[in-house]
């Protein structure tokens, strides 16, 4: 059955697969000290316009979030996130497992408002007993957010300005980064992102790779011995070149952006089809996740024909459902929706 | 340059690669709830003769060790290992990072003696102030060990008996399991292992897979909600079928054992070549890692022709070096050694 | 300057001090294995009507909360608290430092509603991806709350019923327990509390002792080797009898309840004085903490005459301030308020 | 029964008790922001000759060790201790509980040799795969050691020089500091100690106080927000003045050193008595702990007359026993030994 359930149902982009096959029996040293990894790093440095960037490849999102956050925070600090942030809601407490609290501010369709962050930070230091509380030591946002929304350049600039003022790093979770950057309404480039944060990652798992997240410290500001911290978190891949080859491929001839762009086209088509059929959207998402309001009866009927995700109840007789496109979505499958809706 | 540096220099066995290619564009649900993973589990259950076994697939060895150990121990417990155990020496403190101490007993060429374990446990409970100390809550051994040695069935039985007597689980790190089981002198089967411990894992990373370790709780004794613990440790692979496909392939037609057997043949050939050339062995290793005593001058010369690992100084003018074979070692490369030694 | 700032400004009740002096040069074994500690435990067992209770003495509240919570939770679990709960707001992340998330439900003047707890727990298990989330593994409430409010017997019964239904323990933070139990409107006894939870503690630090919290597992249900967990948390007092002597004194002739009752009388008097002077109360608190609305100008003026705590802004020209009574509050000091208000 | 079992069997020195009584009903703010604490810090700064020192008061030794170590180490670091070090052997894994490994070097009657430390550090950085290992991030020694032995000034200087060379802090556990400094053979002053380490503590629990350890960062080098780290470790005392008053008293008119000197006199007398009676000593301890070789039969007989600690078996018919003196030891009790030996 065709699935629009999420953006990690397939394997990897064919060019990645091809290169994994071609290089399969080569012998290289482990843990990322191979030439493919070196090449991937160079290509990413070029793409983000930061020759001094420190880059590390990890395997998955939760792992990356907890490793980065635990390593960059001091013992007395927590990380500020919106309530709906992935680290707060859906990572099984991986951040807390490392000993740090997730401090929350309100979510605005998944986004953090700079004003909320400022209010939190100002409020914290005004509090008489703040030394008895968890210091806000980092801000975490996702781009795009868990609701498919994206920040404008101004919005991230504002958040970053607040962070700078309070001297805390900004960490951008880019598990779906490509889909955010290729959204029609996006006014940010990857170079802008690299300017506007202390650490971010380029998600591979959801954008064309079998797995892999490229963690970037744009100013060469990786924590000391970050390699060892990765190892201690159980996040070090023995055959590190698997990550190098995948990202080297994704950052050759802009493949990463092209395939992310394809997902956006497919999301546009999904929107078109649903609109045509008279459906309303729960949120106006510019990225690869589309949230549609659907009568419960229809939803039940549809389940036997196509896979998608129930998101939440909308009202007594309607639900919100999510249809996700990805780098791998086939146009004919979207068009097929027309026939079954 | 040809490398005998370690057993994870290549990608994956061609049959694995082929299946990854074939299945690449299929759509499956994530996190191990796909049919390939289910099939792999069934095949492993058959191979170990335990239909009730709980099986989970993780990505790498250090991650597996720390996740299993942290999840099975109580807060007041540590894990007993030989000094040279991988968890004690080469995992960047990943076990301690989860809050648990590694308690050590002497290493006998990498192996734990049941008598040392018993002495430790008896000594602990005799100690007047043991309630002020870390309780020994698990025994950890590796098979084969970090020195390439293997346990006899009797030796593991003895260790397991001590564990049973003191009511602690035995955990067997099988990162190189195949190479141990296929050693000529091995009198243990994988079914025996499953009988003689509470948890063990079948290493894929070093035996034919791109990555992956199959964690087995033979008696259906997985800790409650182990899935969530895997997630909290950042060890959950989104595209879980990558692990399923690999282990399904490895456990089809005994591929895992066949390719491990090939590594042993190649290790035999390495032994033969070095013996022929008059070299002595540091240890008599029955598995895929061979430890050779080599004059320092020769070692330096050889470095320009072939890759291998310096292990330790032997005496003033000689060193111990390690040559490792693997599932991927080519016979012609070993024979080439003859010409350059 | 007289202080109503909090309830731990003085040392200990004179009877405690007297016994510390009397016993000072006696020699007893350490870590709580002395006769005073044994006697204190017996008296508490009698007071709560549970001869089978396990009792441990710790030093302070934050320490007690993190030690109890970390020891009773499984690795994949967090603790449910109201947002304003002490563990969530004012313990510097001590719970998270042990690796566990604090999961929050709304606060109703500091209290948890059973219906909110039920909604949280039901919602959790209805969530499709709950295995990717932190399991709610315990409920935490404080009695009285951080806002001085108290639960009725029915309210705690309802919360406990929900806990039982979902098979999670209820933990009651009794840092100010005496002040709650002695409130005029309190319909609960300490025996009721012991029936209605799996663990609670009797606060000494704020009710007559120099320091000390008596942790009680009413059904003899202390976690295995809890003594060692206390030690590992750095919470074990070498000269344990200091705790034993204090609690033995507090539970001789109902001293604990008598001195808590005195604090309530003094709180009544504080209420009377402020009411007389025309002040309004922010909350109607039945315990030793009184929250008064005060014009900012008056507040500033008063600061030079008496110590109290600024709580929060009420509106543009008024603030909420807290006046706390305690076991040590002198009547003449409260009456003095009359003159300076 | 008279006890020589350890050095924390009594309460506190009478001058401390007197001041606790005198100040009991005073009202002071909490958490160490009271004038007694301020005064105690000033007196200690004078005693150690460091006006810039940062000083914090914690409650007990294990708590102090784990809080200091966890706060000063980076995530990828462990602490180097001798095998017999208190943190390695008798603290229930409190250091590991914070996520850090205790790395061990040989014990020489409880002492660390600078040469062993150097060998460890040099060996670590020579190891090819050291990035996969726990970085040695601090050296920990105790003064006096767990065996009652003390370092010479030269020995500590040598250890500190190695630390400086490798850029790691030296931490000196002074749980029994007074007894070391007052030993006849001690050639170190407390000012020397403050020069020769980055952090140390002055033990109160075993030297005259009810409880309390004064942690000193001699160069004003306390970790940022150390107060909050203390809180997060559950180590913050609400009525902080209890610590202030005790240390203020101990550092008035050299009381700390005088009462420690008394313990040494009493240890001398213990030595004299046992020597007189023909006993041999297991170790030549210059401090308050004396280790005597005693026939097992005699040991059993003596147990009914006096309390002391069994240390270990010496040979088939003899044991090593420990007799400890302290600030509180009465001369008549030691002389009584003469009659019963």
């Amino acid at each position: 059955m065709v699935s629009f359930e999420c953006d990690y149902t397939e394997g990897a982009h064919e060019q990645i697969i091809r290169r994994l096959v071609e290089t399969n029996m080569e012998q290289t040293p482990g843990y990322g000290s191979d030439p493919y990894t070196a090449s991937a790093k160079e290509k990413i440095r070029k793409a983000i316009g930061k020759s001094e960037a420190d880059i590390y490849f990890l395997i998955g999102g939760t792992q990356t979030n907890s490793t980065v956050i635990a390593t960059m925070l001091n013992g007395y600090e927590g990380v500020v996130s919106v309530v709906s942030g992935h680290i707060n809601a859906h990572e099984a407490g991986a951040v807390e497992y490392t000993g740090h609290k997730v401090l929350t501010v309100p979510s605005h369709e998944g986004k953090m408002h700079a004003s909320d962050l400022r209010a939190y930070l100002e409020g914290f230091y005004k509090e008489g007993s703040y030394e008895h509380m968890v210091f806000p030591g980092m801000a975490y946002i996702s781009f795009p957010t868990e609701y498919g929304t994206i920040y404008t350049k101004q919005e991230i600039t504002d958040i970053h300005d607040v962070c700078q003022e309070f001297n805390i790093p900004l960490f951008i979770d880019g598990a779906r980064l490509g889909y955010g950057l290729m959204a029609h309404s996006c006014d940010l480039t990857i170079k802008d992102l690299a300017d506007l944060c202390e650490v971010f990652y380029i998600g591979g798992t959801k954008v064309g790779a079998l797995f892999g997240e490229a963690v970037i410290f744009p100013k060469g500001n990786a924590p000391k011995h970050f390699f060892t911290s990765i190892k201690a978190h159980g996040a070090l891949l023995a055959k590190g070149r698997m990550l190098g080859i995948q990202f080297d491929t994704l950052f050759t001839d802009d493949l990463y952006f092209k395939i992310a762009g394809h997902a956006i086209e497919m999301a546009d088509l999904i929107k078109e089809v649903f609109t045509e059929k008279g459906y309303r959207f729960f949120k106006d998402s510019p990225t690869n996740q589309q949230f549609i309001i659907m009568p419960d009866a229809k939803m039940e009927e549809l389940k036997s024909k196509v896979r998608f995700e129930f998101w939440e109840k909308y009202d007594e007789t309607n639900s919100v459902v999510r249809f996700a496109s990805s780098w791998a979505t086939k146009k004919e499958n979207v068009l097929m929706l027309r026939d079954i809706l």
Side-chain angles (χ1 to χ4, degrees), chain A residues 192-209:
Chain A
D192 293 331
L193 273 186
D195 282 333
L196 292 173
C197 71
E198 279 63 48
V199 54
F200 73 106
Y201 63 97
I202 303 172
T205 303
K206 288 167 178 164
V207 191

Side-chain angles (χ1 to χ4, degrees), chain A residues 7 16 44 57-61 64 143-144 172-179 181 190 193 200-216 246-247 250-251 256-257 259-260 327:
Chain A
D7 37 20
I16 284 177
I44 291 175
F57 297 110
L58 278 78
I59 298 161
T64 301
F143 185 89
I172 303 178
D173 171 339
R176 293 187 167 101
L177 188 66
Y179 302 141
L181 291 174
I190 198 167
L193 273 186
F200 73 106
Y201 63 97
I202 303 172
T205 303
K206 288 167 178 164
V207 191
L210 292 175
F211 56 86
E213 317 294 315
V215 180
I216 296 159
Q246 293 189 85
F247 276 94
L250 288 171
F251 281 84
Y256 186 76
F257 300 103
I259 64 178
W327 61 275

Side-chain angles (χ1 to χ4, degrees), chain A residues 18-216:
Chain A
R18 194 181 313 138
R19 287 192 70 197
L20 289 177
V21 171
E22 285 166 10
T23 59
N24 186 53
M25 292 305 289
E26 289 181 17
Q27 291 189 307
T28 54
Y31 308 115
S33 58
D34 63 275
Y36 297 105
T37 299
S39 168
K41 289 182 184 181
E42 264 323 296
K43 287 179 182 166
I44 291 175
R45 284 191 190 102
K46 237 172 241 168
I48 63 170
K50 299 276 178 200
S51 59
E52 72 277 29
D54 290 327
I55 301 178
Y56 293 84
F57 297 110
L58 278 78
I59 298 161
T62 294
Q63 178 186 88
T64 301
N65 287 333
S66 65
T67 304
V68 167
I69 291 169
T71 307
M72 293 188 78
L73 289 181
N74 286 300
Y76 53 87
E77 294 175 332
V79 54
V80 184
S81 164
V82 294
V83 172
S84 59
H86 208 258
I87 55 168
N88 189 49
H90 288 98
E91 300 193 350
V95 169
E96 289 84 1
Y97 190 74
T98 70
H100 298 280
K101 192 177 185 73
V102 179
L103 306 163
T104 52
V105 292
S107 164
H108 303 276
E109 305 211 321
K111 291 161 68 176
M112 180 186 286
H113 281 185
S115 56
D116 288 337
L117 178 61
R118 170 180 297 284
Y120 188 93
L121 294 166
E122 284 180 354
F124 178 81
Y125 288 102
K126 268 185 197 156
E127 174 74 43
S129 59
Y130 73 84
E131 286 206 310
H132 295 254
M133 296 164 69
V134 178
F135 280 71
M138 171 188 263
Y140 161 96
I141 60 173
S142 44
F143 185 89
T145 70
E146 293 70 19
Y147 286 90
T149 51
I150 57 173
Y151 292 86
T152 65
K153 184 170 174 180
Q154 190 58 51
E155 288 170 336
I156 295 203
T157 302
D158 290 347
I159 290 173
H160 193 233
D161 285 350
V162 174
C163 289
Q164 295 285 94
E165 192 181 327
F166 285 86
N167 201 23
I168 61 173
L170 174 60
F171 171 31
I172 303 178
D173 171 339
R176 293 187 167 101
L177 188 66
Y179 302 141
L181 291 174
M182 298 309 289
H184 305 306
S185 58
C186 180
D187 68 350
L188 268 163
T189 65
I190 198 167
K191 290 184 185 184
D192 293 331
L193 273 186
D195 282 333
L196 292 173
C197 71
E198 279 63 48
V199 54
F200 73 106
Y201 63 97
I202 303 172
T205 303
K206 288 167 178 164
V207 191
L210 292 175
F211 56 86
E213 317 294 315
V215 180
I216 296 159

